[in-house]
């Protein structure tokens, strides 16, 4: 009788042993999701750390350049830590206001920068615009970014300052419109989007960075729940990191040609891969 009870009672050793052999499907799915999160999370964290690091270093350089500029106005020669004179024109362009960064140093480089603006227009055409007004707004913002970049690389003189500011404002507005396009009616942050649109001309880095990180988190969560998107998310993360490296390198090493063109291609490719978020939201 005791043997029969042990055979039929799941709390006994035999029952526990047999139940451990067959795991519920939900447990296996949770383990797969956790394993995928462990693989993809370092890439997202690295991108976030890169963004914060670039901003902090750029902010430090901007403050140092401001002190140099003020000391020059007072007639005091300013030097860096190594004793060499520092040029305030080498501030990071995204924090320096409406002054252009060093670039387009040759006619060939200008042509390459103009040609690499084309991916922004192709990215705009890939957005499904016939379903939501927010999708159309995102498509128009991508086109606007391409137009601003094209005008910036064509311009010379003082008008170049204006187009540089407009270029970064367009990038920030594209990030805001992507946030609105990938969210539903219930979760769409309209107030935050309106506030970001107002701040974009004054702090394009903060606006673009905040909305990009929000999109990265949404992309990671979607890739964890849908295994079909994990390869796309991996390519998006890799191209985004390389794009950040090209953008940052273009600021630190302006004499190296075609870094800005690489930023054009990589950033457009990384953003185009987020179209699956817009399409899945539409579906």
């Amino acid at each position: 009788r005791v043997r029969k009870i042990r055979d039929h009672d799941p709390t006994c050793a035999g029952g526990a042993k047999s139940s451990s052999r067959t795991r519920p499907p939900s447990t296996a799915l949770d383990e797969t999701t956790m394993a995928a999160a462990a693989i993809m999370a370092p890439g997202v964290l690295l991108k976030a750390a890169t963004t914060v690091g670039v901003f902090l270093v750029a902010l430090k350089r901007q403050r140092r350049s401001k002190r140099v500029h003020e000391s020059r106005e007072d007639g005091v020669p300013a030097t860096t830590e190594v004793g060499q004179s520092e040029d305030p024109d080498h501030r990071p362009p995204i924090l320096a206001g409406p002054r252009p960064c060093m670039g387009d140093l040759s006619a060939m480089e200008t042509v390459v920068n103009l040609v690499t603006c084309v991916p922004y227009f192709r990215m705009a055409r890939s957005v499904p615009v016939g379903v939501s007004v927010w999708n159309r707004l995102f498509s128009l913002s991508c086109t606007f970014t391409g137009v601003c970049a094209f005008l910036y690389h064509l311009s010379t003189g003082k008008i170049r300052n204006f187009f540089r500011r407009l270029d970064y404002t367009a990038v920030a507005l594209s990030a805001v419109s992507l946030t609105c396009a990938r969210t539903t009616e219930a979760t769409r942050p309209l107030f935050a989007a309106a506030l970001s649109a107002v701040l974009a001309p004054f702090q394009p880095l903060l606006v673009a960075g905040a909305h990009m990180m929000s999109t990265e988190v949404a992309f990671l969560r979607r890739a964890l729940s849908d295994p079909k998107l994990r390869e796309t998310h991996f390519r998006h993360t890799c191209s985004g990191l390389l794009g950040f490296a090209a953008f940052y390198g273009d600021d630190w090493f302006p004499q190296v040609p075609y870094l800005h063109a690489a930023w054009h291609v990589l950033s457009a490719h990384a953003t185009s891969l987020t179209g699956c978020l817009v399409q899945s939201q539409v579906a």
Side-chain angles (χ1 to χ4, degrees), residues 170-182:
V171 172
L173 292 177
S174 296
V176 176
S177 61
L178 176 57
T179 300
C180 294
R182 65 172 176 78

Side-chain angles (χ1 to χ4, degrees), residues 56 109 146 254:
L56 292 178
E109 186 178 1

Side-chain angles (χ1 to χ4, degrees), residues 90-101:
H90 286 280
R91 293 180 295 172
I94 202 166
L95 288 178
R99 52 171 283 284
C101 67

Side-chain angles (χ1 to χ4, degrees), residues 43-274:
V44 177
L45 293 177
L46 181 59
K47 185 180 292 186
T50 304
T51 305
V52 174
V54 168
F55 173 73
L56 292 178
V57 174
L59 185 61
K60 181 179 179 181
R61 294 181 67 194
Q62 185 193 31
R63 291 177 177 176
R64 186 174 60 183
S65 299
K66 184 177 180 180
R67 291 195 300 267
V68 171
H69 184 68
E70 291 176 352
S71 62
R72 286 185 176 182
E73 288 182 349
D74 297 337
V76 179
T79 58
T80 60
E81 290 81 355
V82 295
Q84 298 178 353
S85 61
E86 181 177 345
D87 187 2
D89 290 338
H90 286 280
R91 293 180 295 172
I94 202 166
L95 288 178
R99 52 171 283 284
C101 67
M102 295 182 63
D104 299 322
L105 301 180
S106 64
M108 188 55 153
E109 186 178 1
T110 301
V111 171
V112 173
N113 287 334
L114 291 174
V115 171
T116 51
C117 292
V118 174
Y120 292 111
F121 299 102
R122 296 188 61 183
M123 177 177 61
R125 296 189 62 181
S126 65
V127 178
V129 297
V131 180
S132 172
V133 64
W134 301 105
N135 294 7
R136 184 174 295 275
L137 184 63
F138 175 50
S139 177
L140 290 175
S141 65
C142 294
T143 303
F144 182 59
T145 301
V147 170
C148 292
F150 195 85
L151 292 176
Y152 166 68
H153 291 291
L154 272 181
S155 60
T156 56
K158 294 183 178 180
I159 194 64
R160 189 175 172 89
N161 301 344
F162 169 76
F163 285 125
R164 189 52 169 173
R165 168 60 65 91
L166 194 63
D167 183 21
Y168 280 105
T169 302
V171 172
L173 292 177
S174 296
V176 176
S177 61
L178 176 57
T179 300
C180 294
R182 65 172 176 78
T183 51
T184 60
E185 293 291 339
T187 61
R188 185 168 293 123
L190 294 179
F191 178 77
L195 183 62
S196 300
V198 173
L199 292 176
F202 308 100
Q203 287 293 338
L205 175 63
L206 294 179
V207 172
H211 285 271
M212 285 180 183
M213 292 312 302
S214 175
T215 300
E216 292 300 323
V217 173
F219 204 167
L220 177 61
R221 294 178 61 183
R222 185 63 59 86
L224 290 176
S225 60
D226 187 359
K228 296 180 181 179
L229 294 180
R230 290 173 187 173
E231 182 181 354
T232 304
H233 178 266
F234 177 75
R235 290 190 288 122
H236 164 79
T237 302
C238 292
S239 57
L241 288 173
L242 291 175
F244 271 116
F247 175 80
Y248 197 51
D250 182 42
D251 178 55
W252 279 93
F253 308 103
Q255 70 278 6
V256 179
Y258 310 123
L259 279 178
H260 195 80
W263 152 253
H264 281 176
V265 176
L266 291 169
S267 62
H269 180 65
T271 307
S272 65
L273 293 175
T274 61

